[in-house]
């Protein structure tokens, strides 16, 4: 019995499967609901993005807003990871993360055709090259710690210490993505929107 439990733990968190499933789901929903309000909202959001790029909104205020939004989510998930709530948070968070990217891709392509794919790339680069792997690792850490708490009815100090170290390292790398989103992504988006010639 003990060997079976250890074997189950070694299988780990199916983060990539959940992420890809969420991405697929995110692609399907806009296609199903395309005749409703998705089209107008997509065009409006991309138009606002173009205004954002033109005005060059960046710097300290934008950085603080990104830190508030993304940092509060990271902290909340970390707290959940130290309880039995971490397992559902990790599963749901990974699916929703994939669905967010999938729906954004679908709405961009539905609005602008193949050029919408360029818009999608412009929205994500380069920060999501950091966000995706860090988020998948982070969710697996939350899942593993929370699953251990649920199975063992408690948290062991050595596991908590390892978890804290991983979370701090992940946060530092995640911060790099936030800086890229603040200072590099507007430039990338401006260049890609100019190349796509959508406006």
């Amino acid at each position: 019995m003990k060997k079976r439990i250890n074997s189950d733990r070694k299988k780990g968190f199916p983060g990539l499967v959940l992420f890809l499933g969420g991405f697929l789901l995110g692609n399907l929903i806009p296609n199903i609901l395309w005749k409703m309000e998705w089209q107008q909202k997509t065009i409006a959001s991309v138009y606002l993005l173009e205004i954002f790029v033109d005005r060059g909104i960046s710097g300290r205020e934008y950085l603080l807003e990104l830190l508030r939004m993304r940092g509060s989510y990271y902290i909340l998930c970390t707290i959940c990871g130290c309880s039995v709530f971490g397992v559902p948070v990790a599963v749901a968070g990974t699916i929703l993360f994939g669905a967010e990217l999938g729906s954004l891709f679908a709405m961009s392509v539905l609005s602008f055709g193949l050029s919408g794919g360029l818009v999608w790339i412009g929205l994500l680069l380069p920060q999501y090259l950091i966000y995706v792997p860090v988020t998948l690792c982070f969710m697996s850490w939350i899942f593993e710690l929370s699953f251990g708490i649920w199975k063992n009815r408690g948290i062991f100090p050595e596991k908590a210490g390892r978890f804290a170290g991983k979370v701090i390292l992940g946060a530092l790398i995640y911060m790099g993505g936030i800086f890229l989103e603040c200072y590099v992504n507007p430039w990338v988006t401006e260049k890609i929107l100019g190349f796509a010639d959508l406006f």
Side-chain angles (χ1 to χ4, degrees):
M1 183 69 179
K2 191 174 181 181
K3 287 182 179 179
R4 186 178 175 184
I5 292 172
N6 289 335
S7 175
D8 289 340
R9 286 184 183 175
K10 285 179 183 176
K11 290 178 183 176
F13 177 64
L16 187 59
V17 173
L18 293 172
F19 174 75
L20 293 176
F23 188 85
L24 178 62
L25 181 65
N27 270 282
L28 292 175
I29 292 173
N31 281 286
I32 294 168
L33 302 176
W34 176 240
K35 297 298 180 183
M36 298 182 183
E37 297 179 3
W38 291 87
Q39 184 175 9
Q40 293 83 353
K41 287 183 180 178
T42 304
I43 293 172
S45 63
V46 174
Y47 176 72
L48 289 173
L49 173 68
E50 196 260 348
I51 292 174
F52 161 80
V53 171
D54 283 347
R55 291 182 180 176
I57 298 172
S58 60
R60 188 166 176 245
E61 288 182 10
Y62 183 44
L63 179 62
L64 290 175
E65 182 63 19
L66 287 173
L67 286 171
R68 185 189 65 78
M69 285 187 335
R70 300 199 181 279
S72 59
Y73 174 75
Y74 195 91
I75 292 168
L76 180 63
C77 288
T78 300
I79 293 169
C80 289
C82 297
S83 71
V84 293
F85 298 109
V87 171
V89 164
V91 172
T94 305
I95 293 171
L96 290 174
F97 182 57
E100 176 190 358
L101 297 184
S103 61
L104 184 59
F105 175 76
M107 288 188 290
S108 299
V109 171
L110 286 170
S111 294
F112 301 108
L114 292 178
S115 297
L118 290 176
V119 172
W120 182 71
I121 291 170
L123 289 169
L124 303 183
L125 287 181
Q127 68 273 18
Y128 274 83
L129 295 175
I130 290 178
Y131 288 159
V132 171
V134 169
T135 300
L136 292 180
C137 288
F138 178 54
M139 291 301 177
S140 72
W141 301 333
I142 289 172
F143 180 88
E144 287 166 11
L145 182 69
S146 181
F147 185 77
I149 292 169
W150 178 70
K151 278 286 188 185
N152 301 312
R153 301 181 184 275
I155 185 170
F156 296 102
E158 64 273 11
K159 287 187 177 180
R162 284 197 301 268
F163 177 73
K166 288 177 180 178
V167 166
I168 291 169
L169 178 62
L172 292 174
I173 299 171
Y174 201 73
M175 279 282 295
I178 292 173
F179 278 99
L180 288 174
E181 184 173 4
C182 180
Y183 295 108
V184 180
N185 178 253
W187 179 83
V188 171
T189 305
E190 182 181 9
K191 296 299 180 187
I192 288 180
L193 286 178
F195 177 75
D197 195 26
L198 294 175
F199 300 100

